[in-house]
Structures are given as C-alpha cells and as structure tokens.
Amino acid sequence: MEENKEVSSSEQQKKKSKRLLLIINCLLLCLGNTGGPLITRLYFIHGGHRVWFYTCLHTCGFPILLLPLIISYIRTRKPFFSIDSRLFTASAVIGVLMGVDDYFYAYGLARLPASTSSLILATQLGLTAAFAFLLVRQKFTPFSINAIVLLTVGAGVLALHSSGDRPKGVSTKQYVMGFVMTLVSAALYSFLTPMLELLYGKSKQPLTYSLVIQVQVVMSFTATVFCTIGMLINKDFEVMGREAREFGLGETKYYVVAVWTAIIWQIFFVGAIGVIFCASSLLSGIIIAVSLPVTEVLAVIFFRESFTAEKGVSLALSLWGFVSYFYGEYKQLHKKKPSNPNTPQSDLLPTLPNNL
C-alpha cells in the first residue's frame, strides 16, 4: 500500500514538472513569436538591407543554449553532448531546411509590414495540422478543427487587401514577392515542426529535455553555416560596417538590434521545440497563431502601421479561433475526469511517446 502511494506521488510530481515545463515553453514561444517580427522589422525600416545577414541572426545565437547544457552537466554529470549520429544527421538536415525557411521569412518581412507578415504566417496553422495528421497521426476534435479553420481564414482575409499598406519605397512587384515568400516560409515551417515531432518519436535514445536542447543546437549550427555561406556569396561581410554607420538609429544601436535579434529568435526556437516535446507540433502552431494579434497591435503602436478593416476582421477571427481551441480542450479535460474522487486525475497534457 505504501509503495502504491509512493508511486502515485512520484507520478503526480512528474506531471506537475511536465506541466510547468510546458507553461514555461509556451511563454517563451509567445515572447519570441511576438518580439521576433517586431525587431526584424525595426532593422529593415531603419535602413537595414542585408537579408542574408539578418537570416543568419535568426539562428546564430545558439551558443547561449550551451548554458543550460552546462548546468545540466554539473547537476547530473551525464555526457555534455550525448546526441547519437543518427539523430545528429537528421537534426543537421532539418537545420539546413530551417535556414532556407528563415531566408524566405526575412525576405518577406523586409518588404511587408510586421502586422501583415504575421497574419500571413497564420496560414501555416492549417498546413501544420495537415502535416501533423500525415506524419504523426495527430488526432483532431471538432473544436480544434474549428480553430484551425478560423485562424486560417483570418489570415486569408489579407489576400483581399492587395497592397494598400505597402511600406514606402517598396514597389508592387517587391510587395507581391514578399507576400509569396512569406507564404512559402509558412508552408516550409509547417512541414518542419511535425517532422521534428516525428524525429522525437523515432529517436532510439531516451528523449530528455537536455537532448531536445542538443537537437536545437545542431539545427541552429547547421542553419548558421548555411546562412554564412549565403552571406559570403552575397558579400554581406564587406558592407556591414557601412550599413551600421548609415543605420537610422545609429551605429551602436545597429549592433544592439543585431544582438537582441539573435537572442529573441533563440527564445522562439527553444519555446517551439519545448512545446513540441511536451505536447505536439499542432499546439505549437496554435500558440504561434494565438500570439499574432499581440504582434499586430504592437506593430500599429510602435511602427504606426495602418490597422485596416481586413486586419480587424483577421484579428477577430484569430481570437475566435483561440477561444474555440481552448474551450475544446477544457471540455475534453472535464470528460476525462474520473467519477471516483479517490482516483488520480489524468494528466492535463497530451500523452507523450513511450520513449520519453
């Protein structure tokens, strides 16, 4: 009897730890997804032009992830870098694709308002759901399907708004190219997140949060190498000094913006992989879509971008989708509650793979 109580207490403690880890990663994902587009737009509207350079900043901040790995090593004395060759190779390939995706994203945001770009990226939720169903057999409820439709339609409303909010100095052709590149970025990212979830599930190593951070380090490293090659070909290194001197906010703030860009995007990536690890790629997509209205409002406040009727409709649909999804999760939770009050309740989080 005492053994059963100890096991039950241990399981409850694990559930609480897992729930706390999910909440922390959700907050990191929201912070990164809100701040990333804004600081990227800040670079471009004040005279930044190097798309390859800014793409590199999305992933080159990975050395800060060595800090939690060092702390984990000090506490556990387990191998500092334990990722096997199979997982390393798969992570490296995904990292290169992530570098391509970052380039498409940076190219699009250089030619679109931050609010418009963020809302276009909401289309990735529907694609993430489709890829999650195909790759990891994601299960859906009527509420989650309703949320996906609302959030996707909300982004699609922007297609009705041609280029009335086009930034100064951006031609119609450049605006359309930015729109297309952002859509391609959304589609590619929609494929990568379920692929990462599949990678976790297929891993032959015991999957821990430390190993997940190691996967992110490998992905960011290979993406950074890919972007550095792009910078060399585009001769970005030769003109960075001049661009810094001509930056609208001043040379010092040019480098401050660059450093914070690297930090904020690493926060985004860590939050994304953490949510996928704790729950699913679909929940990651939901959180990204839910945080978009915050980006819209902040972009209007800080960059004085126009808040058009289309953006208003899109915002309303996004909020409706958010409420629908979490109301569905609330209903599902109450259906699973045991009738016997002495029986432990099931975990609030989705079931993790057996090898976690």
Side-chain angles (χ1 to χ4, degrees), residues 16-44:
K16 289 180 181 179
S17 299
K18 188 171 62 176
R19 191 177 304 125
L20 177 62
L21 184 61
L22 177 61
I23 292 172
I24 292 172
N25 281 283
C26 286
L27 293 175
L28 291 175
L29 181 55
C30 287
L31 176 61
N33 194 57
T34 302
L38 294 176
I39 197 167
T40 301
R41 189 66 194 144
L42 182 67
Y43 167 79
F44 287 115

Side-chain angles (χ1 to χ4, degrees), residues 209-273:
Y209 191 68
S210 175
L211 186 61
V212 168
I213 295 296
Q214 293 173 40
V215 169
Q216 178 58 35
V217 170
V218 173
M219 291 193 301
S220 293
F221 174 76
T222 53
T224 301
V225 170
F226 171 80
C227 295
T228 302
I229 294 172
M231 289 180 64
L232 289 170
I233 295 174
N234 202 45
K235 299 181 179 180
D236 282 10
F237 290 105
E238 298 178 12
V239 297
M240 281 174 55
R242 186 182 67 208
E243 183 176 81
R245 290 189 294 271
E246 296 175 353
F247 192 61
L249 297 177
E251 184 174 359
T252 300
K253 290 185 178 179
Y254 175 87
Y255 293 108
V256 171
V257 169
V259 170
W260 275 105
T261 298
I263 294 173
I264 290 175
W265 280 113
Q266 278 306 306
I267 290 174
F268 167 81
F269 285 123
V270 169
I273 64 169

Side-chain angles (χ1 to χ4, degrees), residues 29-203:
L29 181 55
C30 287
L31 176 61
N33 194 57
T34 302
L38 294 176
I39 197 167
T40 301
R41 189 66 194 144
L42 182 67
Y43 167 79
F44 287 115
I45 65 176
H46 287 288
H49 301 290
R50 316 312 298 182
V51 175
W52 274 113
F53 167 61
Y54 221 75
T55 302
C56 189
L57 290 178
H58 284 197
T59 53
C60 70
F62 70 88
I64 64 176
L65 300 182
L66 298 178
L67 179 60
L69 292 180
I70 292 172
I71 294 174
S72 176
Y73 171 75
I74 294 174
R75 291 182 58 188
T76 64
R77 292 299 175 181
K78 293 182 179 180
F80 178 75
F81 209 72
S82 59
I83 187 171
D84 62 26
S85 58
R86 180 174 176 270
L87 192 57
F88 180 92
T89 302
S91 301
V93 172
I94 293 177
V96 173
L97 292 175
M98 186 168 67
V100 174
D101 178 66
D102 289 341
Y103 175 78
F104 288 153
Y105 174 81
Y107 185 97
L109 196 55
R111 290 155 179 81
L112 296 176
S115 55
T116 300
S117 176
S118 295
L119 285 169
I120 294 172
L121 289 173
T123 58
Q124 73 187 29
L125 178 58
L127 293 170
T128 298
F131 284 123
F133 175 76
L134 293 173
L135 296 176
V136 295
R137 297 294 184 265
Q138 174 71 49
K139 294 181 180 180
F140 298 97
T141 66
F143 293 100
S144 62
I145 293 173
N146 184 54
I148 291 167
V149 171
L150 288 171
L151 289 165
T152 303
V153 170
V157 168
L158 289 176
L160 302 176
H161 180 56
S162 57
S163 58
D165 61 347
R166 188 171 69 242
K168 293 180 180 179
V170 176
S171 67
T172 301
K173 181 180 178 180
Q174 289 175 324
Y175 184 92
V176 172
M177 279 297 296
F179 198 99
V180 172
M181 293 288 263
T182 306
L183 282 175
V184 173
S185 171
L188 183 54
Y189 186 80
S190 300
F191 171 75
L192 291 179
T193 48
M195 181 59 71
L196 191 57
E197 184 178 354
L198 179 65
L199 180 64
Y200 291 164
K202 296 291 185 180
S203 173

